[in-house]
Amino acid sequence: METESGIQAWLPVALSPSATALMLLGVILSTSIFADAVARRTRLPRISLLVMVGVVVAVIQQLVLEVPEPRPLDGLGEPLIHVALVMVAFLLGGELTLDRLRSTGALILIVSLSVIGVGALAVGIGLLALGFPLVVAVSLAAISVATDPAAVQETVHASGDSRLRARLLLGIVAIDDGWGIVVFGLAMAVLGWLLSGAGGGERALLEAGWELGGALLLGAAVGLPAAWLTGRLRPGEPTQVEALALILLLAGLSEWLGVSSLLAAMITGTLVANLSTHHTRSFNEIEHIEWPFLVFFFVLSGASVDLYHLDEAFGLTLAYILLRLAGRYLGGMLGVRLARERQADLPQNLGLALTPQAGVAMGMALLAAEQFPAYGTLLLSAVVGSTVIFEILGPVLVKRVLR
């Protein structure tokens, strides 16, 4: 029998991977209680605290225990993160009701297009001016469009703010990832066309079209029957089982079909919110069980940082962070000025509230690294490093804009 090393040598029985995972899940949930207590006393957003806990986990795992791969729960972390994002997207889709779109729809469109347009141009042109390669500049410009809806939604809900600026932020993050998918797909198509000929560009364009169009089809295929069935399968209000079934179906089917799970979940949420006239409680059921999954999402996002490669892209990461912040600020200012009839109700720094960035950006970086392997390590290091900063700084900026 091999001699066990480390802490397991002191235990009377072997520590199995499943036992380790279960204990780590318990520890992660326990940290959320600690984060709540600290947040109440310091006014720091609990999301930022949870991401910082994740970074501490990464430091212990990679630098102290010398485990090279940043996978704190092995194969369990990715499904948890995926389910949390689908829950958030479903709830954000529920914000896009016809009544709300009639009152703020044009404003959402104006501000969101202004923020993503100015923001992407600021990042792309800025990185090119600083001498970074075309692939890196265009890829990061497209990735910069994505926003983390979980961080924005949680901070807005925790604030209890129901003013126009809060409703506008929820509406924008509900469609931001849709814009992000479109912009990223087009950017990859253009780069593929320039660097590998027409075949590479056509392939990238087809993949982006399927990711977007397939998500619309999946959202409708799940959302239409769900809008009629939910709440009717048994008398009374919908159960948590029905709500969880929707989320898991969306998460699993979207991964299997290779379409955007966030866009599919937003379409489903929008259909359920607008067509389920017989009740309004599906979203309440999701909200009751959402927070534990969000805790896993924020902690595991911080714990997924690869500390060994951060120094390789320090200059690029710093430039990307500063340019994205500048682009968001200027884009928000332009959007507020364009929306003249509502300008008095909106702060000039509205774009800074759209700073958080997480899972979608990492997914885009992985796709870009796969398509352009020569720049893969550089892109991944910059996106992961900046994501930690944006997840810590972002909720603070959201609170500042709401104040």
mmCIF file of all heavy atoms in Angstrom, residues 284-333:
data_model
loop_
_atom_site.group_PDB
_atom_site.id
_atom_site.type_symbol
_atom_site.label_atom_id
_atom_site.label_comp_id
_atom_site.label_asym_id
_atom_site.label_seq_id
_atom_site.Cartn_x
_atom_site.Cartn_y
_atom_site.Cartn_z
ATOM 1 N N ASN A 284 -40.662 33.690 -8.678
ATOM 2 C CA ASN A 284 -40.469 33.666 -7.230
ATOM 3 C C ASN A 284 -39.845 32.351 -6.791
ATOM 4 O O ASN A 284 -39.006 32.318 -5.890
ATOM 5 C CB ASN A 284 -41.804 33.865 -6.504
ATOM 6 C CG ASN A 284 -42.362 35.256 -6.714
ATOM 7 O OD1 ASN A 284 -41.619 36.174 -7.032
ATOM 8 N ND2 ASN A 284 -43.658 35.412 -6.564
ATOM 9 N N GLU A 285 -40.255 31.260 -7.425
ATOM 10 C CA GLU A 285 -39.706 29.959 -7.061
ATOM 11 C C GLU A 285 -38.218 29.885 -7.368
ATOM 12 O O GLU A 285 -37.445 29.302 -6.610
ATOM 13 C CB GLU A 285 -40.462 28.847 -7.800
ATOM 14 C CG GLU A 285 -41.932 28.750 -7.439
ATOM 15 C CD GLU A 285 -42.145 28.468 -5.964
ATOM 16 O OE1 GLU A 285 -41.365 27.703 -5.374
ATOM 17 O OE2 GLU A 285 -43.081 29.046 -5.386
ATOM 18 N N ILE A 286 -37.811 30.462 -8.507
ATOM 19 C CA ILE A 286 -36.388 30.483 -8.841
ATOM 20 C C ILE A 286 -35.621 31.356 -7.856
ATOM 21 O O ILE A 286 -34.531 30.999 -7.386
ATOM 22 C CB ILE A 286 -36.176 30.996 -10.282
ATOM 23 C CG1 ILE A 286 -36.814 30.046 -11.295
ATOM 24 C CG2 ILE A 286 -34.694 31.162 -10.584
ATOM 25 C CD1 ILE A 286 -36.168 28.716 -11.399
ATOM 26 N N GLU A 287 -36.182 32.513 -7.508
ATOM 27 C CA GLU A 287 -35.507 33.432 -6.593
ATOM 28 C C GLU A 287 -35.282 32.804 -5.227
ATOM 29 O O GLU A 287 -34.291 33.116 -4.554
ATOM 30 C CB GLU A 287 -36.324 34.718 -6.458
ATOM 31 C CG GLU A 287 -36.278 35.594 -7.711
ATOM 32 C CD GLU A 287 -37.244 36.758 -7.648
ATOM 33 O OE1 GLU A 287 -38.101 36.754 -6.751
ATOM 34 O OE2 GLU A 287 -37.144 37.663 -8.492
ATOM 35 N N HIS A 288 -36.164 31.908 -4.821
ATOM 36 C CA HIS A 288 -36.021 31.270 -3.505
ATOM 37 C C HIS A 288 -34.814 30.343 -3.434
ATOM 38 O O HIS A 288 -34.286 30.087 -2.353
ATOM 39 C CB HIS A 288 -37.283 30.472 -3.172
ATOM 40 C CG HIS A 288 -38.487 31.343 -2.928
ATOM 41 N ND1 HIS A 288 -39.781 30.879 -3.033
ATOM 42 C CD2 HIS A 288 -38.589 32.650 -2.616
ATOM 43 C CE1 HIS A 288 -40.626 31.873 -2.772
ATOM 44 N NE2 HIS A 288 -39.916 32.958 -2.517
ATOM 45 N N ILE A 289 -34.395 29.803 -4.585
ATOM 46 C CA ILE A 289 -33.298 28.829 -4.572
ATOM 47 C C ILE A 289 -32.063 29.333 -5.313
ATOM 48 O O ILE A 289 -31.071 28.619 -5.451
ATOM 49 C CB ILE A 289 -33.743 27.490 -5.205
ATOM 50 C CG1 ILE A 289 -34.251 27.734 -6.636
ATOM 51 C CG2 ILE A 289 -34.833 26.830 -4.379
ATOM 52 C CD1 ILE A 289 -34.626 26.469 -7.372
ATOM 53 N N GLU A 290 -32.101 30.576 -5.761
ATOM 54 C CA GLU A 290 -31.029 31.089 -6.610
ATOM 55 C C GLU A 290 -29.742 31.376 -5.845
ATOM 56 O O GLU A 290 -28.636 31.084 -6.339
ATOM 57 C CB GLU A 290 -31.515 32.374 -7.291
ATOM 58 C CG GLU A 290 -30.465 33.032 -8.157
ATOM 59 C CD GLU A 290 -30.850 34.444 -8.549
ATOM 60 O OE1 GLU A 290 -31.612 35.107 -7.804
ATOM 61 O OE2 GLU A 290 -30.364 34.902 -9.593
ATOM 62 N N TRP A 291 -29.829 31.939 -4.643
ATOM 63 C CA TRP A 291 -28.643 32.445 -3.966
ATOM 64 C C TRP A 291 -27.562 31.392 -3.712
ATOM 65 O O TRP A 291 -26.365 31.680 -3.946
ATOM 66 C CB TRP A 291 -29.037 33.156 -2.676
ATOM 67 C CG TRP A 291 -27.839 33.670 -1.923
ATOM 68 C CD1 TRP A 291 -27.427 33.304 -0.691
ATOM 69 C CD2 TRP A 291 -26.883 34.629 -2.391
ATOM 70 N NE1 TRP A 291 -26.280 33.978 -0.348
ATOM 71 C CE2 TRP A 291 -25.927 34.792 -1.376
ATOM 72 C CE3 TRP A 291 -26.758 35.365 -3.566
ATOM 73 C CZ2 TRP A 291 -24.851 35.657 -1.505
ATOM 74 C CZ3 TRP A 291 -25.672 36.229 -3.692
ATOM 75 C CH2 TRP A 291 -24.743 36.371 -2.665
ATOM 76 N N PRO A 292 -27.883 30.173 -3.233
ATOM 77 C CA PRO A 292 -26.796 29.200 -3.051
ATOM 78 C C PRO A 292 -26.012 28.934 -4.330
ATOM 79 O O PRO A 292 -24.781 28.793 -4.289
ATOM 80 C CB PRO A 292 -27.535 27.935 -2.579
ATOM 81 C CG PRO A 292 -28.798 28.435 -1.974
ATOM 82 C CD PRO A 292 -29.178 29.631 -2.783
ATOM 83 N N PHE A 293 -26.699 28.886 -5.472
ATOM 84 C CA PHE A 293 -25.991 28.669 -6.732
ATOM 85 C C PHE A 293 -25.121 29.868 -7.090
ATOM 86 O O PHE A 293 -24.026 29.717 -7.645
ATOM 87 C CB PHE A 293 -27.005 28.393 -7.853
ATOM 88 C CG PHE A 293 -27.640 27.037 -7.766
ATOM 89 C CD1 PHE A 293 -28.839 26.862 -7.100
ATOM 90 C CD2 PHE A 293 -27.040 25.931 -8.336
ATOM 91 C CE1 PHE A 293 -29.437 25.617 -7.005
ATOM 92 C CE2 PHE A 293 -27.618 24.674 -8.252
ATOM 93 C CZ PHE A 293 -28.823 24.522 -7.586
ATOM 94 N N LEU A 294 -25.598 31.072 -6.782
ATOM 95 C CA LEU A 294 -24.789 32.259 -7.041
ATOM 96 C C LEU A 294 -23.545 32.289 -6.154
ATOM 97 O O LEU A 294 -22.484 32.755 -6.575
ATOM 98 C CB LEU A 294 -25.622 33.524 -6.819
ATOM 99 C CG LEU A 294 -26.693 33.823 -7.868
ATOM 100 C CD1 LEU A 294 -27.432 35.100 -7.515
ATOM 101 C CD2 LEU A 294 -26.084 33.935 -9.257
ATOM 102 N N VAL A 295 -23.675 31.799 -4.928
ATOM 103 C CA VAL A 295 -22.504 31.712 -4.045
ATOM 104 C C VAL A 295 -21.439 30.832 -4.693
ATOM 105 O O VAL A 295 -20.254 31.193 -4.760
ATOM 106 C CB VAL A 295 -22.904 31.156 -2.661
ATOM 107 C CG1 VAL A 295 -21.651 30.864 -1.824
ATOM 108 C CG2 VAL A 295 -23.801 32.146 -1.926
ATOM 109 N N PHE A 296 -21.852 29.659 -5.184
ATOM 110 C CA PHE A 296 -20.906 28.774 -5.867
ATOM 111 C C PHE A 296 -20.297 29.482 -7.074
ATOM 112 O O PHE A 296 -19.086 29.381 -7.324
ATOM 113 C CB PHE A 296 -21.610 27.497 -6.338
ATOM 114 C CG PHE A 296 -22.098 26.621 -5.213
ATOM 115 C CD1 PHE A 296 -23.357 26.046 -5.257
ATOM 116 C CD2 PHE A 296 -21.300 26.373 -4.112
ATOM 117 C CE1 PHE A 296 -23.814 25.247 -4.238
ATOM 118 C CE2 PHE A 296 -21.753 25.575 -3.072
ATOM 119 C CZ PHE A 296 -23.014 25.012 -3.134
ATOM 120 N N PHE A 297 -21.126 30.206 -7.822
ATOM 121 C CA PHE A 297 -20.652 30.867 -9.031
ATOM 122 C C PHE A 297 -19.557 31.888 -8.720
ATOM 123 O O PHE A 297 -18.486 31.871 -9.334
ATOM 124 C CB PHE A 297 -21.830 31.549 -9.741
ATOM 125 C CG PHE A 297 -21.417 32.459 -10.860
ATOM 126 C CD1 PHE A 297 -20.948 31.935 -12.046
ATOM 127 C CD2 PHE A 297 -21.487 33.835 -10.723
ATOM 128 C CE1 PHE A 297 -20.556 32.768 -13.095
ATOM 129 C CE2 PHE A 297 -21.106 34.676 -11.760
ATOM 130 C CZ PHE A 297 -20.638 34.129 -12.943
ATOM 131 N N PHE A 298 -19.803 32.770 -7.760
ATOM 132 C CA PHE A 298 -18.847 33.842 -7.486
ATOM 133 C C PHE A 298 -17.557 33.291 -6.861
ATOM 134 O O PHE A 298 -16.457 33.728 -7.225
ATOM 135 C CB PHE A 298 -19.478 34.894 -6.584
ATOM 136 C CG PHE A 298 -20.583 35.665 -7.251
ATOM 137 C CD1 PHE A 298 -21.861 35.669 -6.721
ATOM 138 C CD2 PHE A 298 -20.355 36.370 -8.409
ATOM 139 C CE1 PHE A 298 -22.886 36.365 -7.336
ATOM 140 C CE2 PHE A 298 -21.371 37.075 -9.041
ATOM 141 C CZ PHE A 298 -22.644 37.070 -8.497
ATOM 142 N N VAL A 299 -17.676 32.367 -5.935
ATOM 143 C CA VAL A 299 -16.474 31.811 -5.303
ATOM 144 C C VAL A 299 -15.667 31.002 -6.313
ATOM 145 O O VAL A 299 -14.440 31.138 -6.405
ATOM 146 C CB VAL A 299 -16.860 30.939 -4.087
ATOM 147 C CG1 VAL A 299 -15.620 30.244 -3.525
ATOM 148 C CG2 VAL A 299 -17.501 31.800 -3.000
ATOM 149 N N LEU A 300 -16.337 30.158 -7.093
ATOM 150 C CA LEU A 300 -15.620 29.326 -8.054
ATOM 151 C C LEU A 300 -15.036 30.149 -9.195
ATOM 152 O O LEU A 300 -14.009 29.773 -9.762
ATOM 153 C CB LEU A 300 -16.555 28.243 -8.611
ATOM 154 C CG LEU A 300 -17.006 27.196 -7.591
ATOM 155 C CD1 LEU A 300 -18.002 26.226 -8.219
ATOM 156 C CD2 LEU A 300 -15.812 26.431 -7.030
ATOM 157 N N SER A 301 -15.669 31.275 -9.542
ATOM 158 C CA SER A 301 -15.082 32.163 -10.565
ATOM 159 C C SER A 301 -13.743 32.705 -10.087
ATOM 160 O O SER A 301 -12.762 32.744 -10.841
ATOM 161 C CB SER A 301 -16.035 33.320 -10.882
ATOM 162 O OG SER A 301 -17.218 32.856 -11.497
ATOM 163 N N GLY A 302 -13.692 33.134 -8.832
ATOM 164 C CA GLY A 302 -12.420 33.602 -8.276
ATOM 165 C C GLY A 302 -11.401 32.497 -8.134
ATOM 166 O O GLY A 302 -10.200 32.705 -8.354
ATOM 167 N N ALA A 303 -11.876 31.286 -7.791
ATOM 168 C CA ALA A 303 -10.964 30.162 -7.586
ATOM 169 C C ALA A 303 -10.426 29.604 -8.896
ATOM 170 O O ALA A 303 -9.469 28.828 -8.891
ATOM 171 C CB ALA A 303 -11.676 29.046 -6.812
ATOM 172 N N SER A 304 -11.040 29.974 -10.030
ATOM 173 C CA SER A 304 -10.611 29.452 -11.330
ATOM 174 C C SER A 304 -9.455 30.229 -11.942
ATOM 175 O O SER A 304 -9.008 29.916 -13.043
ATOM 176 C CB SER A 304 -11.797 29.455 -12.303
ATOM 177 O OG SER A 304 -12.849 28.647 -11.823
ATOM 178 N N VAL A 305 -8.983 31.240 -11.250
ATOM 179 C CA VAL A 305 -7.874 32.050 -11.779
ATOM 180 C C VAL A 305 -6.596 31.224 -11.836
ATOM 181 O O VAL A 305 -6.229 30.561 -10.862
ATOM 182 C CB VAL A 305 -7.648 33.293 -10.889
ATOM 183 C CG1 VAL A 305 -6.453 34.077 -11.379
ATOM 184 C CG2 VAL A 305 -8.888 34.156 -10.889
ATOM 185 N N ASP A 306 -5.942 31.248 -12.980
ATOM 186 C CA ASP A 306 -4.660 30.556 -13.135
ATOM 187 C C ASP A 306 -3.544 31.531 -12.768
ATOM 188 O O ASP A 306 -3.142 32.380 -13.565
ATOM 189 C CB ASP A 306 -4.501 30.070 -14.574
ATOM 190 C CG ASP A 306 -3.310 29.136 -14.735
ATOM 191 O OD1 ASP A 306 -2.447 29.109 -13.827
ATOM 192 O OD2 ASP A 306 -3.230 28.442 -15.753
ATOM 193 N N LEU A 307 -3.042 31.415 -11.543
ATOM 194 C CA LEU A 307 -2.066 32.368 -11.030
ATOM 195 C C LEU A 307 -0.701 32.251 -11.706
ATOM 196 O O LEU A 307 0.079 33.193 -11.710
ATOM 197 C CB LEU A 307 -1.909 32.173 -9.514
ATOM 198 C CG LEU A 307 -3.186 32.364 -8.680
ATOM 199 C CD1 LEU A 307 -2.936 32.000 -7.238
ATOM 200 C CD2 LEU A 307 -3.682 33.806 -8.785
ATOM 201 N N TYR A 308 -0.422 31.086 -12.287
ATOM 202 C CA TYR A 308 0.897 30.862 -12.880
ATOM 203 C C TYR A 308 1.095 31.657 -14.172
ATOM 204 O O TYR A 308 2.227 31.870 -14.607
ATOM 205 C CB TYR A 308 1.108 29.373 -13.178
ATOM 206 C CG TYR A 308 1.234 28.527 -11.925
ATOM 207 C CD1 TYR A 308 0.173 27.756 -11.481
ATOM 208 C CD2 TYR A 308 2.418 28.512 -11.195
ATOM 209 C CE1 TYR A 308 0.283 26.979 -10.339
ATOM 210 C CE2 TYR A 308 2.540 27.736 -10.048
ATOM 211 C CZ TYR A 308 1.469 26.979 -9.625
ATOM 212 O OH TYR A 308 1.587 26.216 -8.484
ATOM 213 N N HIS A 309 0.002 32.072 -14.829
ATOM 214 C CA HIS A 309 0.132 32.751 -16.115
ATOM 215 C C HIS A 309 -0.295 34.213 -16.077
ATOM 216 O O HIS A 309 -0.347 34.860 -17.120
ATOM 217 C CB HIS A 309 -0.698 32.009 -17.174
ATOM 218 C CG HIS A 309 -0.185 30.637 -17.482
ATOM 219 N ND1 HIS A 309 -0.736 29.512 -16.928
ATOM 220 C CD2 HIS A 309 0.839 30.215 -18.270
ATOM 221 C CE1 HIS A 309 -0.087 28.442 -17.370
ATOM 222 N NE2 HIS A 309 0.867 28.841 -18.183
ATOM 223 N N LEU A 310 -0.626 34.716 -14.897
ATOM 224 C CA LEU A 310 -1.081 36.103 -14.827
ATOM 225 C C LEU A 310 0.006 37.097 -15.214
ATOM 226 O O LEU A 310 -0.256 38.126 -15.829
ATOM 227 C CB LEU A 310 -1.588 36.414 -13.418
ATOM 228 C CG LEU A 310 -2.953 35.822 -13.036
ATOM 229 C CD1 LEU A 310 -3.328 36.251 -11.628
ATOM 230 C CD2 LEU A 310 -4.025 36.255 -14.021
ATOM 231 N N ASP A 311 1.262 36.793 -14.836
ATOM 232 C CA ASP A 311 2.337 37.741 -15.101
ATOM 233 C C ASP A 311 2.682 37.853 -16.578
ATOM 234 O O ASP A 311 3.265 38.840 -17.022
ATOM 235 C CB ASP A 311 3.591 37.360 -14.312
ATOM 236 C CG ASP A 311 4.083 35.957 -14.643
ATOM 237 O OD1 ASP A 311 3.259 35.151 -15.122
ATOM 238 O OD2 ASP A 311 5.272 35.671 -14.425
ATOM 239 N N GLU A 312 2.294 36.833 -17.387
ATOM 240 C CA GLU A 312 2.614 36.852 -18.809
ATOM 241 C C GLU A 312 1.851 37.948 -19.546
ATOM 242 O O GLU A 312 2.252 38.377 -20.625
ATOM 243 C CB GLU A 312 2.307 35.490 -19.440
ATOM 244 C CG GLU A 312 3.138 34.350 -18.877
ATOM 245 C CD GLU A 312 2.747 33.015 -19.486
ATOM 246 O OE1 GLU A 312 1.943 33.021 -20.452
ATOM 247 O OE2 GLU A 312 3.236 31.981 -19.006
ATOM 248 N N ALA A 313 0.728 38.356 -19.015
ATOM 249 C CA ALA A 313 -0.109 39.328 -19.721
ATOM 250 C C ALA A 313 -0.433 40.524 -18.836
ATOM 251 O O ALA A 313 -1.507 41.106 -18.970
ATOM 252 C CB ALA A 313 -1.391 38.649 -20.194
ATOM 253 N N PHE A 314 0.477 40.893 -17.954
ATOM 254 C CA PHE A 314 0.180 41.974 -17.012
ATOM 255 C C PHE A 314 -0.116 43.287 -17.736
ATOM 256 O O PHE A 314 -1.091 43.981 -17.436
ATOM 257 C CB PHE A 314 1.349 42.165 -16.037
ATOM 258 C CG PHE A 314 1.124 43.288 -15.064
ATOM 259 C CD1 PHE A 314 0.291 43.123 -13.974
ATOM 260 C CD2 PHE A 314 1.735 44.528 -15.259
ATOM 261 C CE1 PHE A 314 0.063 44.167 -13.087
ATOM 262 C CE2 PHE A 314 1.526 45.576 -14.371
ATOM 263 C CZ PHE A 314 0.678 45.384 -13.287
ATOM 264 N N GLY A 315 0.741 43.664 -18.704
ATOM 265 C CA GLY A 315 0.545 44.911 -19.424
ATOM 266 C C GLY A 315 -0.758 44.924 -20.204
ATOM 267 O O GLY A 315 -1.499 45.911 -20.197
ATOM 268 N N LEU A 316 -1.043 43.811 -20.891
ATOM 269 C CA LEU A 316 -2.287 43.708 -21.659
ATOM 270 C C LEU A 316 -3.495 43.756 -20.729
ATOM 271 O O LEU A 316 -4.502 44.418 -21.040
ATOM 272 C CB LEU A 316 -2.295 42.410 -22.467
ATOM 273 C CG LEU A 316 -3.571 42.094 -23.252
ATOM 274 C CD1 LEU A 316 -3.852 43.187 -24.282
ATOM 275 C CD2 LEU A 316 -3.459 40.730 -23.933
ATOM 276 N N THR A 317 -3.434 43.068 -19.612
ATOM 277 C CA THR A 317 -4.547 43.048 -18.654
ATOM 278 C C THR A 317 -4.827 44.445 -18.125
ATOM 279 O O THR A 317 -5.986 44.885 -18.062
ATOM 280 C CB THR A 317 -4.231 42.099 -17.485
ATOM 281 O OG1 THR A 317 -3.921 40.807 -18.000
ATOM 282 C CG2 THR A 317 -5.414 42.001 -16.535
ATOM 283 N N LEU A 318 -3.768 45.156 -17.738
ATOM 284 C CA LEU A 318 -3.934 46.511 -17.216
ATOM 285 C C LEU A 318 -4.531 47.439 -18.267
ATOM 286 O O LEU A 318 -5.439 48.230 -17.986
ATOM 287 C CB LEU A 318 -2.583 47.047 -16.733
ATOM 288 C CG LEU A 318 -2.584 48.440 -16.101
ATOM 289 C CD1 LEU A 318 -3.464 48.465 -14.853
ATOM 290 C CD2 LEU A 318 -1.160 48.871 -15.760
ATOM 291 N N ALA A 319 -4.028 47.346 -19.507
ATOM 292 C CA ALA A 319 -4.543 48.194 -20.583
ATOM 293 C C ALA A 319 -6.007 47.876 -20.864
ATOM 294 O O ALA A 319 -6.829 48.790 -21.060
ATOM 295 C CB ALA A 319 -3.704 47.997 -21.847
ATOM 296 N N TYR A 320 -6.353 46.588 -20.877
ATOM 297 C CA TYR A 320 -7.738 46.178 -21.147
ATOM 298 C C TYR A 320 -8.678 46.701 -20.063
ATOM 299 O O TYR A 320 -9.769 47.206 -20.360
ATOM 300 C CB TYR A 320 -7.798 44.651 -21.228
ATOM 301 C CG TYR A 320 -9.201 44.092 -21.354
ATOM 302 C CD1 TYR A 320 -9.971 44.356 -22.476
ATOM 303 C CD2 TYR A 320 -9.752 43.297 -20.351
ATOM 304 C CE1 TYR A 320 -11.256 43.838 -22.601
ATOM 305 C CE2 TYR A 320 -11.028 42.784 -20.467
ATOM 306 C CZ TYR A 320 -11.779 43.046 -21.598
ATOM 307 O OH TYR A 320 -13.047 42.548 -21.701
ATOM 308 N N ILE A 321 -8.264 46.605 -18.808
ATOM 309 C CA ILE A 321 -9.105 47.082 -17.698
ATOM 310 C C ILE A 321 -9.367 48.578 -17.825
ATOM 311 O O ILE A 321 -10.514 49.043 -17.744
ATOM 312 C CB ILE A 321 -8.442 46.746 -16.346
ATOM 313 C CG1 ILE A 321 -8.461 45.242 -16.097
ATOM 314 C CG2 ILE A 321 -9.151 47.478 -15.201
ATOM 315 C CD1 ILE A 321 -7.650 44.800 -14.900
ATOM 316 N N LEU A 322 -8.306 49.358 -18.038
ATOM 317 C CA LEU A 322 -8.452 50.814 -18.101
ATOM 318 C C LEU A 322 -9.265 51.244 -19.325
ATOM 319 O O LEU A 322 -10.130 52.129 -19.237
ATOM 320 C CB LEU A 322 -7.076 51.473 -18.118
ATOM 321 C CG LEU A 322 -6.233 51.283 -16.848
ATOM 322 C CD1 LEU A 322 -4.857 51.907 -17.023
ATOM 323 C CD2 LEU A 322 -6.937 51.882 -15.637
ATOM 324 N N LEU A 323 -9.015 50.615 -20.471
ATOM 325 C CA LEU A 323 -9.739 50.979 -21.685
ATOM 326 C C LEU A 323 -11.213 50.591 -21.587
ATOM 327 O O LEU A 323 -12.091 51.335 -22.051
ATOM 328 C CB LEU A 323 -9.096 50.304 -22.901
ATOM 329 C CG LEU A 323 -7.734 50.860 -23.341
ATOM 330 C CD1 LEU A 323 -7.094 49.956 -24.380
ATOM 331 C CD2 LEU A 323 -7.888 52.280 -23.895
ATOM 332 N N ARG A 324 -11.496 49.443 -20.996
ATOM 333 C CA ARG A 324 -12.903 49.025 -20.867
ATOM 334 C C ARG A 324 -13.651 49.946 -19.911
ATOM 335 O O ARG A 324 -14.808 50.302 -20.156
ATOM 336 C CB ARG A 324 -12.981 47.573 -20.391
ATOM 337 C CG ARG A 324 -14.416 47.021 -20.393
ATOM 338 C CD ARG A 324 -14.431 45.518 -20.174
ATOM 339 N NE ARG A 324 -15.800 45.031 -20.228
ATOM 340 C CZ ARG A 324 -16.596 44.884 -19.188
ATOM 341 N NH1 ARG A 324 -16.153 45.209 -17.978
ATOM 342 N NH2 ARG A 324 -17.829 44.430 -19.330
ATOM 343 N N LEU A 325 -13.010 50.334 -18.811
ATOM 344 C CA LEU A 325 -13.648 51.277 -17.886
ATOM 345 C C LEU A 325 -13.928 52.618 -18.572
ATOM 346 O O LEU A 325 -15.014 53.182 -18.441
ATOM 347 C CB LEU A 325 -12.759 51.494 -16.666
ATOM 348 C CG LEU A 325 -12.715 50.365 -15.632
ATOM 349 C CD1 LEU A 325 -11.637 50.638 -14.585
ATOM 350 C CD2 LEU A 325 -14.072 50.202 -14.948
ATOM 351 N N ALA A 326 -12.948 53.113 -19.332
ATOM 352 C CA ALA A 326 -13.129 54.380 -20.040
ATOM 353 C C ALA A 326 -14.234 54.267 -21.088
ATOM 354 O O ALA A 326 -15.069 55.166 -21.235
ATOM 355 C CB ALA A 326 -11.814 54.807 -20.693
ATOM 356 N N GLY A 327 -14.241 53.162 -21.815
ATOM 357 C CA GLY A 327 -15.254 52.960 -22.841
ATOM 358 C C GLY A 327 -16.652 52.870 -22.263
ATOM 359 O O GLY A 327 -17.609 53.439 -22.823
ATOM 360 N N ARG A 328 -16.800 52.168 -21.135
ATOM 361 C CA ARG A 328 -18.117 52.049 -20.498
ATOM 362 C C ARG A 328 -18.600 53.416 -19.999
ATOM 363 O O ARG A 328 -19.777 53.752 -20.133
ATOM 364 C CB ARG A 328 -18.039 51.069 -19.331
ATOM 365 C CG ARG A 328 -17.742 49.635 -19.747
ATOM 366 C CD ARG A 328 -18.994 48.840 -19.933
ATOM 367 N NE ARG A 328 -18.891 47.898 -21.041
ATOM 368 C CZ ARG A 328 -19.742 46.904 -21.239
ATOM 369 N NH1 ARG A 328 -20.744 46.720 -20.406
ATOM 370 N NH2 ARG A 328 -19.624 46.121 -22.290
ATOM 371 N N TYR A 329 -17.700 54.162 -19.428
ATOM 372 C CA TYR A 329 -18.084 55.484 -18.915
ATOM 373 C C TYR A 329 -18.523 56.409 -20.053
ATOM 374 O O TYR A 329 -19.586 57.035 -19.990
ATOM 375 C CB TYR A 329 -16.916 56.102 -18.150
ATOM 376 C CG TYR A 329 -17.200 57.502 -17.644
ATOM 377 C CD1 TYR A 329 -17.985 57.700 -16.515
ATOM 378 C CD2 TYR A 329 -16.699 58.615 -18.306
ATOM 379 C CE1 TYR A 329 -18.263 58.989 -16.054
ATOM 380 C CE2 TYR A 329 -16.965 59.896 -17.859
ATOM 381 C CZ TYR A 329 -17.749 60.074 -16.732
ATOM 382 O OH TYR A 329 -18.044 61.337 -16.288
ATOM 383 N N LEU A 330 -17.705 56.481 -21.113
ATOM 384 C CA LEU A 330 -18.032 57.364 -22.231
ATOM 385 C C LEU A 330 -19.281 56.895 -22.971
ATOM 386 O O LEU A 330 -20.107 57.705 -23.395
ATOM 387 C CB LEU A 330 -16.839 57.432 -23.197
ATOM 388 C CG LEU A 330 -15.566 58.088 -22.648
ATOM 389 C CD1 LEU A 330 -14.429 57.946 -23.641
ATOM 390 C CD2 LEU A 330 -15.822 59.552 -22.318
ATOM 391 N N GLY A 331 -19.433 55.577 -23.114
ATOM 392 C CA GLY A 331 -20.615 55.039 -23.777
ATOM 393 C C GLY A 331 -21.885 55.328 -23.002
ATOM 394 O O GLY A 331 -22.918 55.683 -23.585
ATOM 395 N N GLY A 332 -21.823 55.183 -21.680
ATOM 396 C CA GLY A 332 -22.979 55.506 -20.858
ATOM 397 C C GLY A 332 -23.321 56.976 -20.916
ATOM 398 O O GLY A 332 -24.496 57.365 -20.978
ATOM 399 N N MET A 333 -22.301 57.833 -20.913
ATOM 400 C CA MET A 333 -22.537 59.278 -20.990
ATOM 401 C C MET A 333 -23.208 59.639 -22.312
ATOM 402 O O MET A 333 -24.163 60.426 -22.356
ATOM 403 C CB MET A 333 -21.200 60.028 -20.853
ATOM 404 C CG MET A 333 -21.346 61.542 -20.906
ATOM 405 S SD MET A 333 -19.728 62.367 -20.864
ATOM 406 C CE MET A 333 -19.168 61.874 -19.228
#
